[in-house]
Amino acid sequence: MSGAKVTKFFQKRVANPFMRRNPLQTLLETTGRTSGQPRRTPLGGKLVGHQFWFVSEFGDKSQYVRNIKADPRVRVRLRGTWRSGTAHLLPEDDARARLRGLPQFNSLGVRAFGTNLLTVRVDLD
């Protein structure tokens, strides 16, 4: 099994279910593109004014990025409070440079395991 497959398996089966239960964990909620059901993904990022910035480690291969392409309306849980917004995929942004301005713990993992970095900005309502 490749490193990317091991990482995806660990995130999907171990880390994400645990982290979703943490009331202070930042979550991104998208709408499933085929199911229409809410899909919640733990992630790290940074609130800057009325925008939430983060970097997807698997880019357009991430399920939540595929969901954003189908419907950019999302919700983000920040410090236990849900906020609605519109997500924008920014392939022209330098994702590695962006990571330097985001929380170090999450950025370390994204840099270490990421195979197709993609910056995402959520404009919050």
Side-chain angles (χ1 to χ4, degrees):
M1 194 180 284
S2 74
K5 286 185 181 182
V6 169
T7 300
K8 285 181 184 180
F9 176 84
F10 177 78
Q11 287 176 334
K12 185 175 182 178
R13 301 291 182 203
V14 180
N16 288 357
F18 173 75
M19 293 169 67
R20 274 192 288 268
R21 291 188 197 104
N22 177 349
L24 297 179
Q25 171 66 48
T26 299
L27 295 178
L28 173 71
E29 183 180 84
T30 60
T31 301
R33 63 193 175 283
T34 55
S35 71
Q37 298 298 308
R39 300 293 181 217
R40 294 181 175 171
T41 305
L43 47 76
K46 184 175 182 180
L47 181 63
V48 179
H50 293 285
Q51 298 175 325
F52 181 73
W53 292 84
F54 66 97
V55 174
S56 169
E57 61 192 319
F58 301 115
D60 56 9
K61 303 277 191 264
S62 294
Q63 296 302 315
Y64 67 82
V65 169
R66 292 177 179 182
N67 289 343
I68 289 169
K69 285 181 176 181
D71 180 359
R73 292 295 300 163
V74 301
R75 292 194 320 152
V76 180
R77 187 176 76 183
L78 300 166
R79 297 180 199 99
T81 301
W82 286 101
R83 298 184 60 186
S84 297
T86 303
H88 303 275
L89 306 176
L90 304 171
E92 69 282 355
D93 190 67
D94 183 344
R96 290 203 179 277
R98 178 73 54 193
L99 284 171
R100 289 192 286 275
L102 298 179
Q104 289 183 357
F105 180 74
N106 183 72
S107 295
L108 177 66
V110 171
R111 271 194 301 275
F113 301 112
T115 57
N116 186 24
L117 303 181
L118 175 64
T119 300
V120 182
R121 182 188 79 228
V122 178
D123 295 335
L124 300 169
D125 298 340

